[in-house]
Amino acid sequence: KVSDLNFCVSAAMRKWLFLNYGIASTVFYDRPPKSVFQKFNSSTNSVARGDGDSDDDRADMNGSVSDEDYMTLGGVPLSVRHELLLKLKLTDEALFPSLTHCIHSTTESDLDLDHDLVGNMDTVMTEVTVQTYRHRDTGEVCVRQDRAVVLLSSTSWTPDENFSLLTKALIKLDKSIAKRRGSESPRKKRDHSRRLLDQRVSNVATRVVVVITGKGPMKEEFMSKWEASQQPGSPTKLKYISLNTVWLEICDYPLMVGCADMGICLHTSSSGVDLPMKVLDMFGSAVPVCAVSFPALPELVQNGTNGIIFKTSSELSAHLFKKSHPEYRLLEENWADIVQPLILSALHREETPNWSFA
């Protein structure tokens, strides 16, 4: 009340301060620091930096990184992503031991695909993670055609976050994946796989890796309950999903955020007027966010625009299933992106005729 200026982090907090204490304040939203959460430009193989950033800043963040390393998957250079996944032991052998044989045989034997189209995983792949591998002959880091989906949630393990929402959603998601796989005929799987090889996405050998970062007072209790639910024979034991709690070094946290296909925020705010910084971290790395609803959240996450807001575990499960099983592209979309440019190139024409399917 005696200060010259007052700042707060949300409009909801500004209203609360005025109604309860008569304090006038200005909303100053938190933002992720530019020097830590950087967005990489895959089209130019370079990092997009502000005027104040330097090459030294880039080296400090990622170590010694060459221009060749800036071939990206999402926001993080492939070589950096590959080394981080190896460091965290996010591999099929470690996370999906019961699926390892299926993963290595599905693309050829089970689906009867052309050997030249897919290649032999055992002969060309080394240092295999759930998303990447190093080519045994060239040493190049490549993206796996059947890469797993990576979901990220960061937490301080406090009552503000209800992780039962996530665990219930994962159990439902695992059952949905199993049902989807069981309903596909061998012919349908072969046809899907041929299309998806071109899209660099696989609906056939779906694996979802959930990474939860941070530490706090409720972590031990959560892990005890979770491990009990994952014992052999348990009806809630997951087959296609692996949940992992990790503690990351400061330099690795922004990289892990950039590696995620989707971020999950379970922060509900005991006060109801603060906004989760973890969502800002995800936005800073251009990672889509799925966040649980609470009154002030729409100030940060606009449902369906820059993220998804959910209220129940069923809603979360449905959103995650859609993320791990993207819809096949329409004929018009494939034509516009693949066939039409090739025809135009062959005709040496620069203009784009209106080839409509309507």
Side-chain angles (χ1 to χ4, degrees), residues 225-355:
K225 291 180 179 179
W226 178 251
E227 289 169 0
S229 73
Q230 297 304 298
Q231 295 301 310
S234 170
T236 56
K237 181 173 174 57
L238 305 182
K239 181 177 181 180
Y240 301 104
I241 302 174
S242 174
L243 185 147
N244 309 270
T245 58
V246 299
W247 173 250
L248 297 171
E249 298 175 17
I250 294 177
C251 60
D252 287 340
Y253 173 66
L255 297 179
M256 189 66 244
V257 173
C259 284
D261 294 293
M262 175 175 282
I264 301 173
C265 176
L266 301 169
H267 177 87
T268 55
S269 174
S270 56
S271 67
V273 297
D274 67 310
L275 299 174
M277 189 67 195
K278 68 194 74 181
V279 171
L280 296 167
D281 294 341
M282 295 164 187
F283 283 169
S285 294
V287 172
V289 175
C290 219
V292 66
S293 177
F294 68 93
L297 185 64
E299 292 186 48
L300 181 61
V301 180
Q302 287 79 51
N303 192 34
T305 301
N306 63 353
I308 297 294
I309 298 177
F310 66 92
K311 294 181 179 180
T312 67
S313 59
S314 295
E315 290 179 356
L316 176 58
S317 176
H319 292 310
L320 297 182
F321 185 76
K322 185 176 181 180
K323 180 65 181 178
S324 61
H325 289 72
E327 294 297 325
Y328 300 126
R329 307 185 73 200
L330 298 176
L331 171 62
E332 292 85 348
E333 295 172 324
N334 263 6
W335 178 277
D337 287 350
I338 300 173
V339 180
Q340 182 171 315
L342 292 176
I343 294 177
L344 289 176
S345 177
L347 294 175
H348 301 285
R349 296 174 60 181
E350 295 182 357
E351 67 271 24
T352 303
N354 182 20
W355 293 333

Side-chain angles (χ1 to χ4, degrees), residues 83-322:
E83 294 301 325
L84 180 61
L85 294 177
L86 283 175
K87 179 179 179 180
L88 298 177
K89 296 182 173 58
L90 299 182
T91 66
D92 289 306
E93 285 73 15
L95 306 184
F96 302 100
S98 64
L99 293 178
T100 300
H101 173 71
C102 297
I103 292 167
H104 282 262
S105 63
T106 296
T107 51
E108 280 191 272
S109 304
D110 292 354
L111 299 182
D112 193 28
L113 294 182
D114 297 334
H115 181 278
D116 292 338
L117 181 63
V118 180
N120 191 314
M121 294 177 70
D122 293 329
T123 60
V124 303
M125 291 184 172
T126 184
E127 295 183 4
V128 183
T129 75
V130 293
Q131 291 197 325
T132 61
Y133 68 94
R134 189 177 298 280
H135 196 285
R136 193 181 301 276
D137 297 330
T138 66
E140 179 185 3
V141 175
C142 306
V143 182
R144 290 179 56 171
Q145 304 281 9
D146 62 341
R147 72 184 188 89
V149 172
V150 173
L151 308 177
L152 175 74
S153 185
S154 58
T155 177
S156 299
W157 296 103
T158 65
D160 271 2
E161 294 175 279
N162 181 6
F163 269 86
S164 67
L165 278 174
L166 177 60
T167 56
K168 291 177 181 178
L170 294 181
I171 292 169
K172 293 174 183 177
L173 175 61
D174 194 72
K175 292 179 179 178
S176 296
I177 295 173
K179 182 178 180 180
R180 172 69 175 267
R181 286 172 57 86
S183 65
E184 291 185 342
S185 66
R187 173 61 183 274
K188 187 177 180 181
K189 289 181 179 180
R190 285 197 296 271
D191 293 343
H192 285 182
S193 295
R194 290 180 185 277
R195 288 195 294 267
L196 292 167
L197 281 170
D198 292 333
Q199 296 181 34
R200 295 193 176 188
V201 179
S202 177
N203 283 354
V204 179
T206 300
R207 287 105 60 230
V208 177
V209 177
V210 182
V211 177
I212 304 177
T213 72
K215 58 183 179 181
M218 298 182 66
K219 180 180 179 179
E220 186 175 342
E221 177 185 354
F222 170 83
M223 288 307 301
S224 177
K225 291 180 179 179
W226 178 251
E227 289 169 0
S229 73
Q230 297 304 298
Q231 295 301 310
S234 170
T236 56
K237 181 173 174 57
L238 305 182
K239 181 177 181 180
Y240 301 104
I241 302 174
S242 174
L243 185 147
N244 309 270
T245 58
V246 299
W247 173 250
L248 297 171
E249 298 175 17
I250 294 177
C251 60
D252 287 340
Y253 173 66
L255 297 179
M256 189 66 244
V257 173
C259 284
D261 294 293
M262 175 175 282
I264 301 173
C265 176
L266 301 169
H267 177 87
T268 55
S269 174
S270 56
S271 67
V273 297
D274 67 310
L275 299 174
M277 189 67 195
K278 68 194 74 181
V279 171
L280 296 167
D281 294 341
M282 295 164 187
F283 283 169
S285 294
V287 172
V289 175
C290 219
V292 66
S293 177
F294 68 93
L297 185 64
E299 292 186 48
L300 181 61
V301 180
Q302 287 79 51
N303 192 34
T305 301
N306 63 353
I308 297 294
I309 298 177
F310 66 92
K311 294 181 179 180
T312 67
S313 59
S314 295
E315 290 179 356
L316 176 58
S317 176
H319 292 310
L320 297 182
F321 185 76
K322 185 176 181 180

